[in-house]
Amino acid sequence: SLAEVDSQSANSYYATLGLFVLTFPGIFSQVTRATKAKVKRKTYELPGPAVEGAKAIKQVAGEVVGHFQANNYKIKTAGDTIIFEGKKIGTKGQAAFLTFCVFMSLGSLSLVLTIFEKQAFGDSGFQLGNLWFLSTLVSPLAGKYYLDNSERTDEVSVKLVIADDERTIDLTIEGDEPELERIEENLKLMQKGMEYVPGLLAEK
């Protein structure tokens, strides 16, 4: 019957609104987490001195130091483990991305609330209607929060260990994940225990 259809439709709107309310804090968590380092530790395996044509460990260490110094890091402590320290600031691109995410989230929530109002109250009573969409005007605050709080001092620790047979060198780096990805790309590092698999479009 028509009443049953309306009831099912109303339940659907209630469920959708409930899901939005439960997941909505996640977008604000994304904004706050964007200002913090995502620290990870990775170990890379390189050919050791006993392997013909391999780089000397001093050359490997020099390339690592050169990479971090080129990216505005300075050596804080040097020993068995070298600790680099560098200042990081937010980018306008990331601020724009967070603003867009919050804008879309608030817009989606406003749409659901507008439909919910019509379903719950019909044409009677006071309704905000399209005024809900004014909430999207606060989305630039997400970008401002990120830029105001993204400046921080990061540390990266680096340790080189030569195997007993000198056939491999383990390079262990702990730091912000994007920084690890950058050094992987620049120095062509491969994580220990992993093998390179050429892509479908790789040149033969």
Side-chain angles (χ1 to χ4, degrees), residues 129-150:
N130 290 334
L131 292 177
W132 285 110
F133 289 97
L134 292 176
S135 63
T136 59
L137 295 177
V138 305
S139 55
L141 293 177
K144 184 179 186 305
Y145 173 86
Y146 167 76
L147 291 174
D148 289 346
N149 295 276
S150 59

Side-chain angles (χ1 to χ4, degrees), residues 110-163:
S110 298
L111 178 61
V112 172
L113 288 171
T114 301
I115 297 173
F116 170 77
E117 271 190 334
K118 291 181 180 179
Q119 186 66 31
F121 305 112
D123 295 328
S124 61
F126 174 76
Q127 297 181 34
L128 290 177
N130 290 334
L131 292 177
W132 285 110
F133 289 97
L134 292 176
S135 63
T136 59
L137 295 177
V138 305
S139 55
L141 293 177
K144 184 179 186 305
Y145 173 86
Y146 167 76
L147 291 174
D148 289 346
N149 295 276
S150 59
E151 185 174 343
R152 65 178 189 266
T153 300
D154 281 357
E155 288 189 355
V156 179
S157 65
V158 177
K159 187 173 184 179
L160 287 164
V161 178
I162 304 177

Side-chain angles (χ1 to χ4, degrees), residues 11 34 41 45 61 66 75 85 102 124 146 161 176 187 189 194 199:
N11 290 335
R41 175 184 291 182
E45 190 173 80
I75 296 177
E85 187 177 75
V102 173
S124 61
Y146 167 76
V161 178
D176 193 21
L187 301 187
L189 300 176
M194 300 180 68

Side-chain angles (χ1 to χ4, degrees), residues 32-48:
T32 56
R33 282 187 287 109
T35 63
K36 301 174 183 177
K38 186 178 181 181
V39 178
K40 284 199 170 185
R41 175 184 291 182
K42 293 184 180 181
T43 299
Y44 307 94
E45 190 173 80
L46 296 83

Side-chain angles (χ1 to χ4, degrees), residues 2 5 40 65-66 73 83 119 154 157 166 182 192 200:
L2 184 59
V5 172
K40 284 199 170 185
V65 171
Y73 281 84
I83 298 178
Q119 186 66 31
D154 281 357
S157 65
E166 297 191 348
R182 184 181 296 133
K192 187 173 183 178
L200 294 176

Side-chain angles (χ1 to χ4, degrees), residues 81 120 150 172:
T81 299
S150 59
T172 301

Side-chain angles (χ1 to χ4, degrees), residues 10-78:
N11 290 335
S12 176
Y13 288 131
Y14 292 142
T16 303
L17 178 61
L19 288 173
F20 262 91
V21 171
L22 290 174
T23 60
F24 200 71
I27 188 64
F28 294 102
S29 176
Q30 181 182 358
V31 174
T32 56
R33 282 187 287 109
T35 63
K36 301 174 183 177
K38 186 178 181 181
V39 178
K40 284 199 170 185
R41 175 184 291 182
K42 293 184 180 181
T43 299
Y44 307 94
E45 190 173 80
L46 296 83
V51 177
E52 186 177 355
K55 297 176 182 177
I57 190 167
K58 286 187 178 180
Q59 183 180 353
V60 174
E63 289 180 352
V64 172
V65 171
H67 166 84
F68 284 111
Q69 288 182 337
N71 286 280
N72 300 318
Y73 281 84
K74 296 180 180 179
I75 296 177
K76 181 180 180 182
T77 60

